[in-house]
Amino acid sequence: MMEAFDPAAVNWARAQFALTAMYHWMFVPLTLGLSFLLAFFETYYYKTGNPEWKQITRFWMRLFAVNFAIGIATGLILEFQFGTNWSNYSWMVGDIFGAPLAIEVLFAFFIEATFFAVMFFGWDRVTPRFHLFSTWMVAIGSSLSAVWILVANAWMQRPVGMVFNPDLARFEMQDIGAVISSPVAVNHFLHATSTSFVLSSLFVLSVSSWYLLKGRHLRLAVRSILVAAVFGLLFSFLVILSGDQAAYQAARFQPMKLAAMEALYKGERGAGLVAAGLLNPDKKPGDDRPVFRQAIHFPYLLSLLANRRLDSFVPGIDDLVYGNAEENIVGVTEKMALGKEALDQLTRYRRARREGNEEAAAHLAAFKKVEDHLGFAYLARAEEAVPHVPTIFYGFHVMVALGFLFPLVFLLYLVLALKDRIFRHRWLLRFGLLLVPLGFLASQLGWVVTEMGRQPWAIHHILPVKVAQSNLAANTVQSTFFIFLVLLTLLFIAEVRIMFNQIRIGPEEK
Amino acid sequence: MTALTRIWHFYRDGFRGMTLGKTLWTVILIKIIVLFGFLKLFFFPDLLGTRFDNDHDRGAFVLEHLVESAPGNRSRP
């Protein structure tokens, strides 16, 4: 007998996963980006033989180690939650996620057990060339290790290369190449790594700004700024390009997410992009209330971003929920009927199989025709297909604003550092102290938009989050949520204290 | 000295020579103990793994959940 479905348990399970994932993502971007900055610093040392570059490399390597040590294994907590809070989902996607996650663990272990050790212990034990090679391998390996989890996440947003096995209730991998090379996965990787590189560059600018304000370690600070500003500036452009591509892909594969990002309720041709706006909190799908209290639009830009054509039609939330015959858009209401048909055929197939009935094959064939809409069977109302618009709209616009601010900051730091005038601009250095929290805010908001924007789906259009969860009581999940909150907060305080302490100590004497 | 001995000495001397690393390893060990010795053991069982003996039963359970979870479907076979 199935336990009664408890909607509160879904929310606690989601909150717990979000808490852990956001905490995990405090460390991952710094690991990805700092590892490449270390490789650049050490390459300068290798090329010039100047011991100052070695001192710079070793200093940032120490901060990298603090970040890595505190962040290590936080991802494991997510995997525990898969087995407990999301056991149904975990079972269903095990065949798809198993291979990428196993490769990630093996890869990470291989890299960490070998090149990490050489990077930290090998300064005077291996040749400079091999040490440099190891540092580069740590950087490349860390990024490659991130590929797999991003492939798994991209598959949830755009499921490809699999087939649903109705006997085992599992998605089975049919084409691993299609899963790995999915355009959404490739762009996911480019965007996540480039934003991580930008965040790490902001971290270096922040710490260096603090040294300049304090009048300490001036040469280390200026040299670090020069490298980080160039690195950050270059990857800021990749962030913008891959972000644009993500919006283009959302228009193709997740139009509801794009409509929520722009709070576009009524689709239009030549749609404008919101530069800034204050939402009307009373607005609901299908009503005639105004969407915004105040808003400024860039005319035609949303159509251009979504379809690469100024006069193209961009569907709004109402078009996607209720359908738009003029634009050939099938609404959620219609898809719910197809979903119910899929579920009905699945139920009949299951019963026929159990009874050894010959009709099983016919029910399976009927199910296969509409299986792509299975998830819609679980919606009670069409409006349930709409994610939480204010969170996604504001999250998206703050993230984009910061994404355009950062390259200007990198450029300013670079020019002033090159002209040796950065010391005079204390306002910039004070502002530089805010770059770490701003960078983390943008990075976290990126994931908020990505994950909240795909709601209510765990697997796009196939499995809603509320069906993906385990049959647990809300108070069970609630209690572990608070255990995690306390544990992760303590770990975070520990990291910040160790990190601040290391920054206060500064680089080793030559 | 064999290659294996050299590698052993490399790691041993590296760990012995750590300063900040000792604090970090302490943090890592505490975390691993809390994760595996406490959370995983008492709070995070693998539900399907522990409840059922084979994949067929796990699949049947999830399939039943899929069918029963739809609105108004509680009484379906």
Side-chain angles (χ1 to χ4, degrees):
Chain A
M1 178 67 74
M2 304 290 292
E3 294 89 341
F5 170 69
D6 184 350
V10 177
N11 294 332
W12 281 109
R14 284 179 63 196
Q16 192 182 92
F17 201 85
L19 172 79
T20 321
M22 289 174 94
Y23 180 74
H24 183 54
W25 194 251
M26 300 289 290
F27 306 102
V28 175
L30 276 186
T31 299
L32 296 179
L34 273 183
S35 59
F36 271 99
L37 282 162
L38 293 178
F40 285 120
F41 291 137
E42 192 174 340
T43 304
Y44 276 108
Y45 168 57
Y46 182 79
K47 290 274 183 198
T48 62
N50 182 344
E52 279 182 357
W53 283 109
K54 183 178 180 183
Q55 187 195 33
I56 291 171
T57 311
R58 287 180 68 109
F59 168 68
W60 292 109
M61 202 173 274
R62 206 141 37 92
L63 300 191
F64 172 84
V66 173
N67 175 70
F68 186 83
I70 310 280
I72 200 168
T74 48
L76 281 176
I77 307 175
L78 294 170
E79 292 192 28
F80 293 171
Q81 289 175 35
F82 275 129
T84 302
N85 297 349
W86 306 101
S87 60
N88 298 320
Y89 167 80
S90 205
W91 167 260
M92 293 176 78
V93 302
D95 197 50
I96 308 284
F97 279 26
L101 294 182
I103 295 170
E104 186 195 1
V105 170
L106 279 176
F107 210 90
F109 178 77
F110 176 72
I111 294 287
E112 283 154 27
T114 52
F115 296 114
F116 261 66
V118 175
M119 191 172 91
F120 287 112
F121 301 155
W123 279 106
D124 304 315
R125 309 289 296 272
V126 298
T127 63
R129 181 191 284 261
F130 186 65
H131 193 275
L132 178 65
F133 172 74
S134 300
T135 308
W136 274 103
M137 284 307 292
V138 167
I140 293 166
S142 301
S143 283
L144 287 181
S145 163
V147 165
W148 306 103
I149 190 70
L150 293 168
V151 163
N153 183 275
W155 182 85
M156 293 162 68
Q157 319 273 344
R158 167 85 175 135
V160 289
M162 87 301 183
V163 66
F164 181 69
N165 178 340
D167 294 315
L168 284 176
R170 290 199 101 169
F171 293 98
E172 291 173 348
M173 183 94 80
Q174 288 288 295
D175 183 357
I176 193 169
V179 174
I180 294 170
S181 65
S182 144
V184 176
V186 173
N187 197 62
H188 234 47
F189 174 71
L190 290 177
H191 198 59
T193 46
S194 55
T195 52
S196 300
F197 296 169
V198 167
L199 175 56
S200 302
S201 302
L202 294 170
F203 175 78
V204 172
L205 291 193
S206 261
V207 175
S208 302
S209 296
W210 187 75
Y211 283 142
L212 293 181
L213 283 169
K214 293 282 174 190
R216 293 173 56 194
H217 315 301
L218 303 181
R219 286 175 70 86
L220 174 140
V222 172
R223 288 184 172 204
S224 299
I225 284 173
L226 282 170
V227 175
V230 172
F231 187 66
L233 186 60
L234 290 176
F235 279 97
S236 293
F237 295 121
L238 186 56
V239 168
I240 293 169
L241 289 176
S242 57
D244 167 69
Q245 186 63 17
Y248 179 73
Q249 289 177 344
R252 310 265 90 65
F253 310 125
Q254 295 174 295
M256 186 68 86
K257 183 192 275 186
L258 184 69
M261 280 153 65
E262 281 297 299
L264 182 71
Y265 280 80
K266 301 231 183 288
E268 51 187 295
R269 293 190 175 276
L273 187 78
V274 180
L278 187 63
L279 291 172
N280 174 3
D282 299 325
K283 175 70 185 164
K284 297 276 182 292
D287 70 20
D288 288 325
R289 292 189 184 98
V291 178
F292 293 101
R293 294 265 165 89
Q294 298 287 336
I296 306 166
H297 286 82
F298 295 119
Y300 300 104
L301 205 50
L302 183 58
S303 282
L304 184 68
L305 286 174
N307 302 312
R308 308 301 191 226
R309 281 195 0 250
L310 287 173
D311 62 343
S312 63
F313 181 81
V314 181
I317 290 168
D318 290 352
D319 304 291
L320 296 164
V321 171
Y322 307 110
N324 181 334
E326 235 172 82
E327 299 293 341
N328 287 325
I329 295 170
V330 177
V332 174
T333 319
E334 234 175 292
K335 288 179 182 172
M336 282 168 68
L338 293 171
K340 284 187 181 16
E341 170 65 13
L343 190 64
D344 191 50
Q345 293 299 340
L346 183 63
T347 309
R348 288 170 193 273
Y349 168 72
R350 181 167 151 259
R351 188 167 45 197
R353 282 273 295 175
R354 204 166 45 203
E355 293 167 356
N357 193 319
E358 285 176 0
E359 287 173 4
H363 290 308
L364 181 61
F367 167 72
K368 287 284 170 194
K369 281 184 190 161
V370 281
E371 67 176 339
D372 288 350
H373 296 94
L374 178 66
F376 288 95
Y378 302 97
L379 304 183
R381 295 177 306 113
E383 291 79 6
E384 279 184 16
V386 183
H388 192 253
V389 175
T391 307
I392 298 158
F393 173 82
Y394 290 121
F396 174 67
H397 284 84
V398 171
M399 175 192 72
V400 170
L402 289 170
F404 279 97
L405 171 71
F406 295 148
L408 299 177
V409 172
F410 287 129
L411 191 62
L412 198 55
Y413 265 89
L414 181 61
V415 170
L416 292 175
L418 281 173
K419 291 186 173 177
D420 211 16
R421 280 165 46 191
I422 196 156
F423 304 93
R424 294 186 216 164
H425 296 271
R426 294 185 73 80
W427 65 270
L428 179 64
L429 299 175
R430 283 194 201 98
F431 174 70
L433 300 179
L434 293 175
L435 290 175
V436 169
L438 289 177
F440 273 112
L441 178 67
S443 185
Q444 296 280 352
L445 285 176
W447 279 111
V448 168
V449 172
T450 304
E451 298 303 293
M452 292 282 286
R454 73 171 157 78
Q455 298 303 320
W457 310 110
I459 304 170
H460 190 61
H461 286 190
I462 297 176
L463 186 74
V465 171
K466 64 183 179 185
V467 183
Q469 69 145 170
S470 300
N471 310 89
L472 288 172
N475 58 1
T476 310
V477 192
Q478 195 179 355
S479 57
T480 47
F481 172 85
F482 286 109
I483 290 172
F484 275 138
L485 188 63
V486 171
L487 182 71
L488 299 183
T489 307
L490 287 175
L491 275 171
F492 183 69
I493 292 169
E495 184 203 38
V496 171
R497 286 189 62 165
I498 299 172
M499 188 72 92
F500 276 20
N501 198 32
Q502 289 307 312
I503 293 169
R504 260 195 300 273
I505 292 168
E508 298 158 340
E509 292 305 315
K510 282 174 231 173
Chain B
M1 198 184 284
T2 65
L4 276 178
T5 319
R6 280 207 304 273
I7 291 170
W8 161 249
H9 285 174
F10 178 83
Y11 277 89
R12 187 198 61 190
D13 296 345
F15 280 112
R16 276 183 182 167
M18 285 189 309
T19 49
L20 167 68
K22 284 184 177 129
T23 311
L24 298 180
W25 271 107
T26 310
V27 171
I28 290 171
L29 286 176
I30 291 172
K31 193 159 60 174
I32 298 283
I33 291 167
V34 170
L35 280 180
F36 286 100
F38 178 64
L39 289 177
K40 178 69 180 156
L41 215 57
F42 297 108
F43 291 99
F44 286 100
D46 180 348
L47 285 182
L48 291 179
T50 51
R51 273 191 201 175
F52 303 100
D53 294 329
N54 56 59
D55 281 357
H56 181 268
D57 291 349
R58 289 183 194 108
F61 174 81
V62 175
L63 201 54
E64 190 184 351
H65 176 75
L66 274 182
V67 170
E68 294 284 326
S69 296
N73 247 15
R74 297 260 172 250
S75 58
R76 274 181 183 252

